[in-house]
Amino acid sequence: MSFPTSPSSAPDVASVDLAARRIAYFSMEIALSSALPTYSGGLGMLAGDTLRSAADTAAPMVAVSLVHRRGYFRQNLDAAGNQTESDQPWSPETMFPSAQQVVRIAMQGREVSVCAWRFDVMGAAGHVIPVFLLDTDVEGNNSYDRHLTDYLYGGDTYYRLCQETVLGLGGVALLRALGVEPEVYHMNEGHAALLGVGLLEERLAGSPLEQATEEDVAAIAKCCVFTTHTPVPAGHDQFGVDQMYAVLGQERGNVIERFGCLHNGLLNMTYLALRFSRYVNGVSMQHGKVSQQMFPDYHVHSITNGVHAATWLSRPLQALLDAEIPAWRHDNNYFRSIYGIPPAKIANCHELGKQRLFEEVARRSGQQFNPKMLTLGFARRVATYKRASLLLHDPKRLARLAKKIGGLQILFAGKAHPADIAGKGLIRDVFESAASLQASGIRILYLENYDWELAALLTQGVDVWVNTPRRPYEASGTSGMKAALNGVPSLSVLDGWWIEGCAEDLTGWAIDDAEDEEGEASSLYDKLENKIAPLYARPNAWARMQQHCIGINGTFFNTHRMLGQYFLNAYFPQMSEEEAIPIAVDLYAKERRSGGRRAADKEASKALV
Ligand SMILES: *Cc1c(COP(=O)(O)O)cnc(C)c1O
């Protein structure tokens, strides 16, 4: 894997023209590097991949998040599958030159100082997206406040609301102090919604918030774009009104109430974000529709997620593509040219990915997996709706099936949130099934600590990627996209991205809808037995399928395409198509010619006016 990111050690780091940055991207978590524990899962990975594509395509963007000094947890599993957690502390002091710029925000009835560390995401041609990681561990803050930016999704609701206040209000204040004046603010999930209140305060320029009018809110909304990420109502952050007043103060609380941002008597971050945005979208076509039903008073659009190709493609596939279609690095549309590459070469690359995965499996577990045997992968955050156990629903049938098709190997991985007792039970269930199926020749292993590196190894190395969410709870899902890019087909419930990505027998297979889990499991086994295993036994046909996965799905489900859609539909919708589409490609060419990222930044501003 190659990570196109690096800490801000580049010599010309100071030369990034912050004043020309036109879009500010706010996210509670961002996966910046495999070495930094600043993300928990899909949301942070999407944010990181978005910024990596923004860097590759010279987009005039900056980003804001929190530093999360104690990181997201490391998962430890004992022999029975009991999960325990440990912190993953890291110190920005050892990675960055120095913290920049202290701003002060009023919250909890006092002032809290916030500083920021700058991480530069570097694109394929050297364009930089600066990411400001807010940090309250600043001298002068009291000891509670100094720890506000320690734990991603940690603490109680009060702690979380404080974090969201630091992100939203602190982020706006910081950008202004640095001379960044974006025209577009992108809230990645409701966690960032308080930036709207920050902008409103700024607009009133010291006058009391109670003077804010409907026009003021409309003026803020004109600059804001909101992406919602979950169709599960419980997944939307909400806080008690008492907490709202305690953290944000009377004035802000009143204005939030007055402009209708409470929902069922609670401060609901999704409703706040909706109120302060002019463009709202879900993360797949179906998720957009489901969200539209949830929020009938707003127009909800859809922009389907993607993944950053250079981050997720295996090394051997990158080398093959660099030799055959090098332009893929700045423009993922060229993946379509995969049809000019013999399928056997793609299959070879995948074999190497499988070898590498099995070496890691052996290193971790001492178990030797068979590289010739059909291998399934299932890895995701452990949540009941994701149903890790559907694959193991009928162990007897699975055992018979494995025997008939010449053996089966399954790799699982995934973390349960530390407070999710039911989720932890699901991990133990998989361990139990694995032990009982061992005798029937099915090898099942649950790998510890699902993270960036393990996700890459798995999606590059297994033969089939399995996903079994309960509909319609999967907003998008992105791990299957990583697999597709690597020529790995999916076997999945038709939910989230897979409704758009599934071309039956070409890019994978759909698990058919059924009345109950019994029926769905049965469809899953039918496809394995009657379609997947027979195809796997025909290497040439399998290799053609791998080619389709890249040609059909890799070409589309990437963040280069996704970001292009954000530009066209969300950020600068007044642009005509002719102006918008060539931006990325064009800027890249100019940047190359001029050799300067400063020049490219200026061009970017002009092109986007
Ligand atoms: C890609 C990724 C995810 C998100 O994948 P889903 O398909 O949404 O489950 C979560 N965690 C890690 C570590 C990832 O790399």
Side-chain angles (χ1 to χ4, degrees), residues 357-481:
L357 170 64
F358 288 179
E359 279 162 21
E360 178 64 13
V361 164
R363 194 185 68 76
R364 289 187 181 204
S365 69
Q367 295 196 38
Q368 296 295 332
F369 272 53
N370 178 352
K372 299 273 181 240
M373 194 180 281
L374 180 63
T375 305
L376 313 181
F378 182 104
R380 46 196 37 88
R381 187 167 58 79
V382 181
T384 23
Y385 81 84
K386 301 219 182 207
R387 300 191 298 183
S389 55
L390 193 74
L391 191 51
L392 309 172
H393 186 85
D394 183 350
K396 286 204 185 98
R397 164 127 198 232
L398 194 60
R400 273 202 313 279
L401 184 154
K403 198 160 169 211
K404 178 177 163 196
I405 68 174
L408 186 64
Q409 303 173 130
I410 310 175
L411 288 166
F412 282 95
K415 297 175 178 175
H417 188 276
D420 182 3
I421 306 299
K424 290 182 177 182
L426 293 177
I427 300 178
R428 276 195 305 275
D429 292 347
V430 175
F431 268 70
E432 262 177 42
S433 305
S436 65
L437 278 162
Q438 200 80 12
S440 58
I442 304 182
R443 205 186 285 275
I444 301 177
L445 192 62
Y446 200 111
L447 294 162
E448 196 174 65
N449 200 40
Y450 183 49
D451 64 358
W452 181 329
E453 274 167 7
L454 187 53
L457 274 169
L458 284 167
T459 53
Q460 294 165 11
V462 300
D463 296 307
V464 177
W465 195 249
V466 179
N467 193 18
T468 54
R470 181 172 294 126
R471 298 178 62 191
Y473 291 128
E474 184 86 312
S476 164
T478 51
S479 52
M481 301 175 184

Side-chain angles (χ1 to χ4, degrees), residues 56-333:
D56 286 346
T57 55
M61 221 179 202
V62 296
V64 181
S65 189
L66 303 189
V67 71
H68 304 303
R69 280 173 176 272
R70 306 208 61 90
Y72 197 67
F73 71 93
R74 192 190 186 291
Q75 175 197 50
N76 312 296
L77 294 173
D78 70 11
N82 294 301
Q83 171 181 306
T84 49
E85 302 90 22
S86 40
D87 283 2
Q88 298 201 78
W90 71 288
S91 56
E93 288 81 358
T94 61
M95 293 207 48
F96 305 115
S98 63
Q100 303 193 343
Q101 199 77 42
V102 177
V103 293
R104 296 165 141 275
I105 49 177
M107 56 186 283
Q108 310 171 82
R110 54 182 178 265
E111 292 228 310
V112 175
S113 296
V114 183
C115 73
W117 302 90
R118 179 170 140 195
F119 182 102
D120 286 352
V121 176
M122 178 90 72
H127 180 80
V128 161
I129 305 294
V131 182
F132 296 100
L133 301 174
L134 304 179
D135 184 359
T136 58
D137 189 9
V138 176
E139 207 146 320
N141 285 343
N142 76 23
S143 71
Y144 181 79
D145 294 344
R146 286 185 85 144
H147 294 290
L148 282 180
T149 50
D150 275 1
Y151 291 98
L152 175 58
Y153 307 134
D156 51 15
T157 54
Y158 182 90
Y159 182 80
R160 299 255 194 114
L161 181 55
C162 285
Q163 288 192 320
E164 295 185 14
T165 304
V166 171
L167 179 65
L169 299 175
V172 168
L174 179 92
L175 290 182
R176 218 58 80 233
L178 292 171
V180 190
E181 309 249 348
E183 290 141 73
V184 179
Y185 292 81
H186 187 166
M187 309 173 199
N188 187 44
E189 182 60 51
H191 307 134
L194 284 165
L195 76 82
V197 176
L199 291 174
L200 189 62
E201 280 182 337
E202 185 179 69
R203 183 179 164 86
L204 290 176
S207 306
L209 267 181
E210 64 185 27
Q211 290 174 11
T213 62
E214 198 58 59
E215 286 77 61
D216 291 319
V217 176
I220 305 304
K222 227 172 142 191
C223 311
C224 295
V225 166
F226 168 47
T227 302
T228 177
H229 284 267
T230 169
V232 187
H236 297 258
D237 262 344
Q238 40 193 22
F239 303 98
V241 171
D242 290 354
Q243 257 172 11
M244 171 178 84
Y245 282 108
V247 175
L248 294 171
Q250 199 64 40
E251 262 202 82
R252 293 186 190 121
N254 286 344
V255 93
I256 287 170
E257 279 206 43
R258 182 155 62 88
F259 288 112
C261 307
L262 297 190
H263 184 67
N264 295 336
L266 296 170
L267 167 58
N268 183 307
M269 301 314 270
T270 301
Y271 281 83
L272 184 63
L274 287 167
R275 191 72 172 82
F276 277 93
S277 301
R278 69 165 154 75
Y279 180 95
V280 179
N281 72 289
V283 290
S284 68
M285 297 311 285
Q286 147 151 307
H287 178 233
K289 282 188 212 150
V290 172
S291 303
Q292 180 65 80
Q293 286 163 9
M294 286 170 76
F295 313 117
D297 295 342
Y298 296 87
H299 185 182
V300 183
H301 304 259
S302 295
I303 295 178
T304 303
N305 281 344
V307 296
H308 183 249
T311 299
W312 297 106
L313 270 169
S314 73
R315 245 186 242 278
L317 264 173
Q318 293 201 25
L320 178 64
L321 293 169
D322 282 342
E324 305 271 350
I325 30 173
W328 74 273
R329 284 199 184 265
H330 75 270
D331 181 354
N332 288 175
N333 287 308

